[in-house]
């Protein structure tokens, strides 16, 4: 039997297959399914999740009981037996006004997660409605040269996630734009490397908080008479400055330790200095540069939350902070939801970088 | 005027207490169109000698003259085949050769460059692998890319540093013939570094042993007066071949012995009683 294969070779097709290739590489190869791998890859991780949730549940319950006993005891000593009985009844009834405030249980967190999603849907619907309503008005305003009316309602949890991602990518790009070229220049010259080493060693361990304050001092003055979004600018610059050191150090190291054989090839072929950098030195240090970028991205994500929290710029960090200050009955469980979301996004970002890193490394595969 | 001339060349690595003179008083003359082989033990300084000739290293004392001019830098006139292939691993076979051709013929058009790349890749029988990366190739294939890259630049002189050292006997034989074919086609000058006496005799006009270092110097030269093209199977019965081979091997064995006896130090061993782990 004959088989015919048609290959679509237009641009879109190529891009499609590229994306597919990438996705395939992102997901580790499916193992052959047999009893052993089923146990190893599915049952054991599943068991560990159940164990984790179980321990969490038990722990939360214990903390709840301690908190509840304390409340009842306090009512007893402050107001007497009657108040204590009332308090015990109130707690048992599950009434919102008197719930012990402690580590939320897995079930509460799950409920909060669903609440946040529902909230997001409601806000999205609201936004769409607002857009539809103002569409005509905005068109006329635009014609008149006025700024359009924008939605100013509260951002949903999902919006906050995207704001955080936007900030982290801006910070990451800033780190890349600064650290890679500087790293290359420093790496090329032993003299420069020796003279800048102290600077790198001093700035590398500086805490995100200090960077934020430093950036705040500068940006505050510089954006004085412009109406740009200075909270966003401050937080992404701080994130970039905090996170760029790994890339800087790795790039400089990669450039400084290019295999002598490759340098000899460049000399024998008589490549000019620019050609030598772009055709030999940079490609050969790409694996190390990407190792640095991977660390930079994960550091950026980690410090982002703290920086948003301090800079009052919108995003997951300020979400956590607002919920903490809010002190509503489900605030604690919302914070835990945010914690999981932060963790999972961090993990996914790292996976993406690992995949890119493996694609550019020409001999060995990096491991997680 | 000799084509390539080394006058009293010495090479020292390191400084002060760490200084080791690897090569001492090397004198060598190669005429245009000659095929010269240098044989020597590993670590005797062969690669150092090659790098002095191709311009990657400068001698501590003495002179390296190429067509009467001192060698101060690398040059496209002297093509190098490195001992460890030195292909750029992020480039394909074609791209590795392309990079060299583009540098050697800066005025050539894109089409001419591509044609030349294809020609030389075909010459080493690697056309089917032109889009592969070095890590997908066997050692022999990599070495052939390295040969193609050096020759595609059309150098006047080919300098080969143990080009076939890491290959199996069969691939080795094939590549020897390919290199000879290219060399004889337009009679370039060739310098072959090898650790295999038979390879030297089969390929070269002249063999010079390098006495082992430190302070390595060149030994007496042996002329190979065997008609070309040479035939490997007939070579074994050739009287001239046997005579030269025995003479060179005897010489190398002699310096090998010398080296051994020179390093006959007596080492005092500490008095230790082995501890028994068996109860
Ligand atoms: N860059 C270097 N610095 C110091 N010592 C070197 C260097 N390169 C080679 N050597 C030493 O010089 C000697 C000869 O090396 P090499 O020329 O590579 O020998 P061969 O090619 O014959 O095996 C060796 O002992 C080696 O350790
Ligand atoms: Mg060597």
């Amino acid at each position: 039997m004959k088989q015919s294969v048609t290959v679509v070779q237009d641009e879109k097709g190529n891009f499609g297959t590229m994306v597919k290739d990438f996705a395939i590489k992102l997901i580790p190869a499916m193992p052959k399914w047999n009893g052993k791998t089923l146990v190893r890859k599915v049952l054991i991780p599943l068991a560990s999740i159940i164990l984790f949730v179980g321990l969490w549940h038990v722990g939360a319950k214990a903390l709840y009981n301690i908190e509840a006993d304390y409340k009842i005891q306090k009512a007893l000593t402050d107001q007497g037996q009657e108040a204590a009985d009332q308090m015990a009844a109130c707690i048992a009834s599950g009434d919102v006004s008197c719930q012990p405030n402690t580590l939320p249980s897995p079930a509460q967190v799950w409920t909060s997660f669903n609440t946040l999603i529902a909230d997001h849907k409601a806000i999205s619907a609201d936004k769409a409605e607002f857009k539809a309503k103002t569409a005509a008005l905005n068109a006329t305003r635009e014609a008149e040269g006025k700024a359009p009316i924008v939605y100013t309602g509260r951002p949903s949890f999902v919006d906050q996630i995207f704001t955080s991602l936007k900030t982290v990518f801006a910070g990451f790009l800033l780190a890349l734009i600064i650290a890679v070229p500087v790293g290359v220049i420093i790496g090329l010259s032993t003299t420069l490397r020796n003279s800048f080493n102290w600077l790198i060693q001093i700035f590398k361990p500086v805490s995100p908080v200090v960077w934020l304050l430093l950036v705040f001092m500068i940006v505050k003055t510089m954006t004085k008479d412009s109406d740009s979004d200075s909270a966003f600018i401050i937080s992404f610059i701080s994130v970039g400055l905090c996170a760029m050191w790994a890339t800087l150090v790795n790039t400089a190291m990669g450039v400084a330790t290019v295999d002598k054989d490759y340098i000899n090839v460049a000399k024998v072929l008589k490549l000019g200095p620019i050609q030598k950098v772009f055709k030999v030195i940079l490609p050969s240090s790409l694996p190390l540069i990407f190792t640095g970028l991977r660390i930079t991205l994960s550091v950026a994500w980690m410090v982002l939350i703290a920086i948003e929290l301090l800079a009052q710029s919108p995003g997951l960090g300020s979400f956590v902070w607002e919920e903490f200050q809010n002190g509503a009955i489900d605030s604690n469980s919302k914070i835990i939801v945010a914690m999981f979301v932060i963790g999972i996004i961090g993990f996914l970002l790292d996976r993406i970088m690992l995949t890119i890193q493996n694609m550019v490394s020409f001999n060995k595969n990096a491991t997680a | 005027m000799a084509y390539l001339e080394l006058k009293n060349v010495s090479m020292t690595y390191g400084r002060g207490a760490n200084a080791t003179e690897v090569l001492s008083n090397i004198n060598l003359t190669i005429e245009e169109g000659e095929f010269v082989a240098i044989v020597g033990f590993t670590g005797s300084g062969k690669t150092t000698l090659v790098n002095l000739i191709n311009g990657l290293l400068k001698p501590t004392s003495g002179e390296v003259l190429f067509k009467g001019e001192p060698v101060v830098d690398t040059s496209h006139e002297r093509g190098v085949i490195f001992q460890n292939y030195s292909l750029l691993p992020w480039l394909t076979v074609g791209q590795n050769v392309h990079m060299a051709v583009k540098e050697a013929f800066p005025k050539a058009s894109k089409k001419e460059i591509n044609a030349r790349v294809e020609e030389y890749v075909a010459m080493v029988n690697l056309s089917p692998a032109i889009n592969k990366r070095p890590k997908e190739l066997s050692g022999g294939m990599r070495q052939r890319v390295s040969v193609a890259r050096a020759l595609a630049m059309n150098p006047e002189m080919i300098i080969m540093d143990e080009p076939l050292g890491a290959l199996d006997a069969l691939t080795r034989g094939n590549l020897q013939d390919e290199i000879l074919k290219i060399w004889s086609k337009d009679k370039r000058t060739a310098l072959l570094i090898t650790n295999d006496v038979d390879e030297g005799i089969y390929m070269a006009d002249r063999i010079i042993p390098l006495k082992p270092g430190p302070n390595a110097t060149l030994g007496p030269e042996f002329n190979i007066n065997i008609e070309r093209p040479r035939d490997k199977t007939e070579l074994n019965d050739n009287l001239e071949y046997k005579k030269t081979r025995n003479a060179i091997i005897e010489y190398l064995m002699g310096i090998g012995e010398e080296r051994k006896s020179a390093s006959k130090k007596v080492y005092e061993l500490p008095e230790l009683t082995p501890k028994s782990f068996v109860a």
Side-chain angles (χ1 to χ4, degrees):
Chain A
M1 235 179 38
K2 247 188 176 178
Q3 280 190 325
S4 74
V5 180
T6 353
V7 182
V8 187
Q9 271 275 329
D10 63 351
E11 252 174 28
K12 232 178 178 174
N14 272 340
F15 184 69
T17 49
M18 236 174 73
V19 170
K20 213 169 93 193
D21 267 8
F22 189 78
I24 287 171
K25 278 178 186 156
L26 203 59
I27 304 160
M30 275 296 200
K32 275 200 191 114
W33 288 108
N34 58 35
K36 221 174 176 179
T37 51
L38 185 79
V39 169
R40 223 158 39 92
K41 298 253 170 182
V42 179
L43 292 185
I44 293 181
L46 209 64
S48 73
I49 292 173
I50 291 170
L51 183 71
F52 171 75
V53 174
L55 280 177
W56 174 13
H57 177 80
V58 172
K61 186 113 192 158
L63 289 174
Y64 179 92
N65 287 339
I66 293 171
E67 193 78 25
D69 284 348
Y70 177 78
K71 274 194 145 178
I72 296 167
Q73 202 59 47
K74 194 157 184 295
L76 184 68
T77 47
D78 289 356
Q79 293 159 301
Q81 185 62 46
E82 201 177 320
D85 287 344
Q86 252 175 21
M87 180 57 85
C90 176
I91 289 172
S93 73
D95 193 88
V96 178
S97 64
C98 54
Q99 279 309 297
N101 184 9
T102 181
L103 178 73
S105 73
Q108 281 171 307
V109 171
W110 179 247
T111 315
S112 291
F113 174 71
N114 287 325
T115 316
L116 285 171
I117 296 294
D119 181 50
H120 170 66
K121 282 188 185 140
I123 290 180
S124 297
D126 197 27
K127 245 190 224 171
E129 197 186 327
F130 177 82
K131 210 170 167 190
K133 252 198 273 177
T134 54
L137 181 61
N138 271 342
T140 53
R141 277 180 74 97
E142 198 174 346
E144 288 166 18
K146 285 191 208 156
I149 300 168
V150 289
Y151 184 77
T152 51
R154 182 172 60 88
S156 76
F157 181 62
V158 178
D159 294 336
Q160 306 269 42
I161 294 177
F162 283 106
T163 312
S164 278
L165 281 174
K166 196 177 92 184
T167 317
V168 91
F169 280 123
F172 177 72
L173 277 183
L174 180 76
L176 185 132
I177 289 166
I178 296 175
V180 172
V182 174
V184 170
I185 292 166
I186 289 179
L188 284 174
S189 143
T190 325
T191 326
L192 276 182
R193 207 159 50 246
N194 290 339
S195 37
F196 279 101
N197 195 33
W198 66 271
L199 200 93
I200 296 173
Q201 299 305 332
I202 288 176
F203 281 141
K204 206 169 62 168
V206 169
S207 140
V209 181
V210 182
W211 281 117
L212 174 78
L213 296 177
L214 190 79
V215 173
F216 180 75
M217 294 174 213
I218 298 167
V219 171
K220 192 190 61 180
T221 316
M222 287 185 44
T223 56
K224 231 181 193 123
D225 35 36
S226 79
D227 52 7
S228 48
D229 180 4
S230 69
F232 170 72
I233 293 173
I234 290 170
S235 48
F236 96 79
I237 292 179
S238 313
V239 167
L241 290 182
C242 265
M244 71 176 200
W245 302 98
T247 301
L248 182 64
V249 171
N250 269 308
T251 306
M253 175 139 111
V255 168
T257 58
V258 174
D259 194 330
K260 195 136 199 305
D261 288 347
Y262 305 155
I263 301 290
N264 280 348
V265 169
K267 280 189 188 152
V268 165
L269 300 189
K270 295 196 80 71
L271 298 183
I274 303 213
Q275 291 258 19
K276 190 168 138 185
V277 169
F278 282 97
K279 296 219 159 151
V280 177
I281 292 175
L282 266 184
S284 107
S285 21
L286 266 193
L288 259 182
I289 294 178
F290 270 87
T291 310
L293 287 175
R294 186 176 155 209
I295 301 171
T296 288
L297 185 59
S298 65
V299 170
W301 183 246
M302 208 153 74
V303 299
L304 172 80
I305 306 302
I307 282 177
E308 279 177 351
L309 195 146
L310 286 164
Q312 301 288 302
S313 87
L316 282 172
S318 56
F319 172 85
V320 170
W321 186 241
E322 275 158 23
E323 287 302 332
F324 178 68
Q325 303 239 302
N326 196 351
I329 188 65
D330 61 349
S331 280
N332 284 359
S333 41
K334 278 183 182 165
I335 290 173
I336 306 262
V337 172
M339 187 190 93
F340 277 111
V341 168
I342 290 165
I344 289 167
I345 290 176
F347 171 71
L348 288 180
L349 290 178
D350 192 58
R351 274 279 131 175
I352 291 170
M353 286 307 285
L354 179 67
T355 310
I356 297 175
Q357 193 188 342
N358 279 336
M359 281 163 102
V360 299
S361 75
F362 35 84
N363 27 32
K364 275 180 253 119
N365 278 358
T367 44
Chain B
M1 186 186 65
Y3 187 69
L4 178 83
E5 195 171 2
L6 276 74
K7 285 187 190 165
N8 285 319
V9 167
S10 300
M11 182 67 201
T12 306
Y13 283 119
R15 270 199 204 133
N18 296 326
T20 33
E21 186 165 88
V22 177
L23 298 174
S24 306
N25 282 318
I26 302 275
N27 285 292
L28 172 69
T29 333
I30 298 178
E31 298 301 332
E32 190 159 2
E34 239 191 327
F35 197 128
V36 174
I38 290 178
V39 287
F41 295 107
T42 303
S44 56
K46 301 187 298 298
T47 300
T48 308
L49 182 61
V50 158
N51 287 345
L52 287 170
I53 294 171
N54 65 33
L56 284 172
L57 288 176
K58 284 181 192 55
T60 323
S61 67
E63 275 191 300
V64 181
L65 300 173
F66 180 71
K67 298 202 279 191
E69 299 282 319
V71 169
V72 288
D73 196 1
T74 55
S75 155
H76 288 160
E77 290 177 314
R78 298 183 299 277
V80 187
I81 301 173
F82 290 101
Q83 182 168 5
N84 36 17
Y85 324 136
S86 298
L87 300 176
L88 302 180
W90 55 88
L91 298 181
T92 63
V93 169
Q95 288 165 337
N96 265 291
V97 179
H98 187 274
M99 192 170 173
V101 174
K102 215 173 139 201
E103 287 306 312
F105 302 95
K107 291 193 199 87
S109 72
K110 246 185 191 159
K111 222 169 121 191
E112 285 167 330
I113 292 177
N114 287 337
R116 197 173 175 87
V117 170
E118 275 162 32
E119 180 193 338
Y120 277 82
V121 172
M123 185 191 75
V124 293
N125 296 323
L126 281 177
S127 299
I130 192 162
N131 289 321
K132 289 206 167 129
R133 277 175 218 284
K135 72 169 175 186
E136 300 171 77
L137 305 178
S138 69
M141 290 160 97
R142 283 182 215 182
Q143 192 54 281
R144 276 169 17 217
V145 181
S146 170
V147 170
R149 180 176 64 185
L151 295 176
M153 297 177 78
N154 200 25
E156 281 184 29
M157 181 179 184
I158 318 168
I159 303 169
M160 296 167 272
D161 186 6
E162 302 193 48
L164 312 175
L167 306 183
D168 62 282
L170 216 62
T171 323
R172 205 172 169 141
N174 284 339
L175 265 176
Q176 284 170 355
D177 290 334
E178 271 175 55
I179 291 172
L180 279 177
K181 211 165 68 195
I182 294 155
W183 167 75
S184 62
K185 207 168 70 184
D186 34 29
K187 279 283 174 188
R188 295 171 219 251
T189 312
L191 174 67
L192 171 75
I193 306 289
T194 178
N195 54 22
D196 178 355
V197 177
D198 291 327
E199 181 172 279
I201 300 179
Y202 177 60
M203 296 180 78
D205 298 320
R206 206 149 46 102
I207 296 191
I208 308 165
L210 183 67
K211 287 195 204 170
N215 301 317
T217 60
L218 292 175
E221 61 179 46
F222 297 85
N223 286 308
I224 321 285
N225 299 311
I226 303 174
E227 281 289 302
R228 287 178 195 272
R230 295 166 185 167
D231 183 309
K232 271 225 175 93
T233 44
E234 276 174 29
L235 219 51
N236 280 324
D237 305 321
N238 187 317
L239 270 182
E240 174 75 20
Y241 169 79
K242 280 186 190 163
K243 214 177 75 197
T244 323
R245 184 172 188 276
N246 286 341
I248 298 173
I249 289 183
E250 227 165 80
Y251 177 79
L252 285 174
M253 300 260 280
I255 52 177
E257 283 298 315
E258 225 174 86
R259 182 161 66 154
K260 261 189 219 153
S261 55
S263 66
K264 238 182 204 153
K265 274 191 213 155
V266 179
Y267 292 98
E268 292 247 357
L269 292 177
E271 284 210 28
L272 292 172
T273 27
K275 182 176 174 172
S276 170
F277 289 97
V278 190

